[in-house]
Amino acid sequence: MKLKHRLITSFLIIMCVPFLLAFLLFWGITRAQKDQEASQRRALYFANSLSLLQNNTSNEIEILKKWADKNPGNFKKESLIRKMNESLQEKHSFLIQREGFKILFDGSGDDIHPNYSELPEFGRLNDDETLVDTIRDIPVTIRQVNYGYGNGVRGSVFVFTTANKLLPEGQKILFDYLLSALLILLFTAGVLISWLYGGIMPKVKKMQKAAEEIENGKLDHVIDVKGSDELTDLARAMERMRKRLSADAIQKIEAEDAQRQLISNIAHDLKTPLTSITGYSEGILDGIANTPEKQEKYVRIIHSKAKEMNALLNELSIYSKIETDRIPYNFVPLDVGEFFQNCNEEVGMDLASQDIGLSYYNELAKGCAIIADPEQLTRVVHNIIGNAVKYKKPEGNLSISIRLRDAGDYVQVEIEDNGQGISKEDLPHIFDRLYRGDKSRNTKVKGSGIGLSIVKKIISDHGGQIWATSKLGEGSVFYFVLRKHTEPVKTGGTA
Ligand code: ADP
């Protein structure tokens, strides 16, 4: 149940249940009253306190009236009068008997004592009348029963009832009702609180526990809360947050693993040329290279290994710049044909020394230009061609071709090799950071898995796109497109 509905229901319960219970209780109390008169008295107390006072002593008045009618001789018997007074005292009342002007009996106590001279004269009140008066500020009711003996002697019995003595009884009734009201309220509040508590607290506790687990880094604690209220929505949001944090944590661990792997690969890749440099330089120092030809050969090897190391370190430095998005670009308008012609010449010589053929086709119109950073674009070409060399077939000749094609508003560059090719499984991932093809990981070919991610980043920072097609065992083609620059370009300033 929604929290909102739960609160509305609570409100209705608060409004209705106490009334219902009060009614039942009142009805129950009234029915359970064995003493009918007491019940009436209680009921009347609230309706009419004067009636109550009258009713209070009605039995005694009736008896006195009977005496007056049928047996006035009883008024002479002091024992009977005394007994009657005792009976009245139980009802917070007392009597005074007056015959003629003489007071025969006074049942009043010390605390309340009526002034005899103020007593109503004979016959002043009839049997059903009640006089309300005060004696020392205490409200009293006075009833009068008149009698006569037939010999001319007349008397009156005055029945006094003190209201202040009835007060404790009233207070008791009031107390009963207040207690009942309190019990009803306590019951209603108890039911409500347990209902609200039962609907809210288990969920709050679950979420609190989950939050503590998350705080302690335990992200596998599933927050399982069922329902359709606002708290359940909150718990579900927390569960989504937990899943997200958990996924991020896993990703972080994977990234750290990849980083460690990268460092170990780079360390390994640096170690090999360094060992060669150390070996060949020692060869020169120890005089093993004892002819000028040998010495030149050793120095060349040292030079090429140093270049290899330099390239590796460059790659690492550019990688760290990619990670922090800090590649320093220097964009200038470039004549595409001229730039790739220079590239072709530079790389071609190197490749030729390794018996690798490089062909170059330019289908672009003369003067076709792009806006690019020549240094970073050279890095792109070097990385792609470097990979072609790294992943050539163990046997057979490697040949690479660079083609420049016109693709409308774009220049399309294609670099094709006839090397090992890339498997269908690896192909969608080769541009991912730190990804190394399955085969590459298991061969002696060194690599860090960052070359093509750098290439992709540079091309996309140039506003272009890159992709590849490949057939395992036949070779690969790398394509990238860059938007043409429409302004004419001054020739001569290329890589
Ligand atoms: P690295 O060469 O350091 O492993 P790269 O990011 O340069 O990392 O390349 C990613 C993967 O793509 C390589 O591990 C390799 O499996 C595959 N690959 C890239 N270029 C070629 C290519 N010309 N021929 C075959 N496989 C290639």
Side-chain angles (χ1 to χ4, degrees), residues 327-348:
I327 302 180
Y329 287 108
N330 179 24
F331 289 105
V332 289
L334 279 186
D335 182 304
V336 189
E338 202 177 313
F339 172 81
F340 277 94
Q341 179 61 43
N342 288 342
C343 243
N344 181 45
E345 279 166 17
E346 191 203 316
V347 189

Side-chain angles (χ1 to χ4, degrees), residues 455-470:
V455 165
K456 187 176 178 188
K457 171 78 176 152
I458 294 171
I459 293 295
S460 76
D461 286 350
H462 277 72
Q465 277 191 347
I466 185 162
W467 68 99
T469 56
S470 186

Side-chain angles (χ1 to χ4, degrees), residues 429-446:
H429 306 292
I430 55 172
F431 295 103
D432 293 351
R433 220 171 274 180
L434 306 173
Y435 186 84
R436 299 210 69 210
D438 232 2
K439 239 176 134 207
S440 326
R441 262 179 262 141
N442 302 324
T443 56
K444 280 183 283 169
V445 182
K446 285 145 213 145

Side-chain angles (χ1 to χ4, degrees), residues 258-277:
Q259 210 92 334
R260 259 194 293 278
Q261 186 65 41
L262 172 73
I263 291 168
S264 112
N265 285 352
I266 300 260
H268 183 261
D269 288 3
L270 282 175
K271 209 171 158 194
T272 319
L274 207 58
T275 313
S276 298
I277 290 171

Side-chain angles (χ1 to χ4, degrees), residues 196-422:
L196 285 173
Y197 191 89
I200 294 170
M201 283 321 281
K203 290 175 186 172
V204 170
K205 277 189 180 156
K206 268 189 183 177
M207 283 191 277
Q208 187 184 0
K209 174 115 182 30
E212 281 167 10
E213 297 275 343
I214 291 172
E215 188 189 4
N216 295 331
K218 283 189 197 161
L219 296 170
D220 52 353
H221 180 90
V222 180
I223 309 166
D224 181 25
V225 172
K226 289 185 181 65
S228 58
D229 57 8
E230 293 84 344
L231 281 177
T232 313
D233 292 346
L234 179 64
R236 288 199 183 116
M238 268 185 83
E239 173 63 6
R240 285 198 294 278
M241 180 189 79
R242 181 197 68 79
K243 277 187 183 157
R244 179 73 184 270
L245 285 173
S246 170
D248 284 355
I250 291 170
Q251 212 176 359
K252 197 173 157 209
I253 291 170
E254 281 174 1
E256 280 169 7
D257 277 355
Q259 210 92 334
R260 259 194 293 278
Q261 186 65 41
L262 172 73
I263 291 168
S264 112
N265 285 352
I266 300 260
H268 183 261
D269 288 3
L270 282 175
K271 209 171 158 194
T272 319
L274 207 58
T275 313
S276 298
I277 290 171
T278 317
Y280 284 103
S281 53
E282 277 172 6
I284 295 169
L285 287 172
D286 297 347
I288 296 167
N290 48 12
T291 61
E293 294 78 32
K294 266 192 184 173
Q295 280 171 0
E296 194 192 327
K297 188 183 162 199
Y298 277 29
V299 170
R300 273 191 192 285
I301 293 171
I302 290 169
H303 180 244
S304 100
K305 294 294 168 189
K307 267 177 78 179
E308 216 175 280
M309 281 177 69
N310 190 39
L312 210 57
L313 288 171
N314 266 345
E315 200 162 80
L316 193 62
S317 117
I318 199 83
Y319 174 76
S320 81
K321 282 173 184 158
I322 276 188
E323 282 282 295
T324 50
D325 234 343
R326 283 187 300 114
I327 302 180
Y329 287 108
N330 179 24
F331 289 105
V332 289
L334 279 186
D335 182 304
V336 189
E338 202 177 313
F339 172 81
F340 277 94
Q341 179 61 43
N342 288 342
C343 243
N344 181 45
E345 279 166 17
E346 191 203 316
V347 189
M349 272 170 31
D350 209 21
L351 293 178
S353 67
Q354 302 171 58
D355 273 345
I356 299 169
L358 177 70
S359 35
Y360 171 65
Y361 307 92
N362 181 359
E363 297 172 8
L364 295 174
K366 209 171 177 317
C368 180
I370 54 170
I371 296 280
D373 177 340
E375 190 188 333
Q376 301 305 341
L377 204 55
T378 308
R379 193 184 303 280
V380 168
V381 176
H382 280 188
N383 276 7
I384 295 175
I385 291 180
N387 274 349
V389 176
K390 267 203 303 194
Y391 302 110
K392 65 179 186 185
K393 285 183 198 150
E395 64 281 326
N397 283 339
L398 172 67
S399 58
I400 300 172
S401 50
I402 301 176
R403 288 187 295 271
L404 304 182
R405 292 191 197 280
D406 195 309
D409 288 344
Y410 290 87
V411 169
Q412 179 165 311
V413 182
E414 301 173 6
I415 302 176
E416 181 171 4
D417 67 62
N418 61 349
Q420 297 171 6
I422 305 164

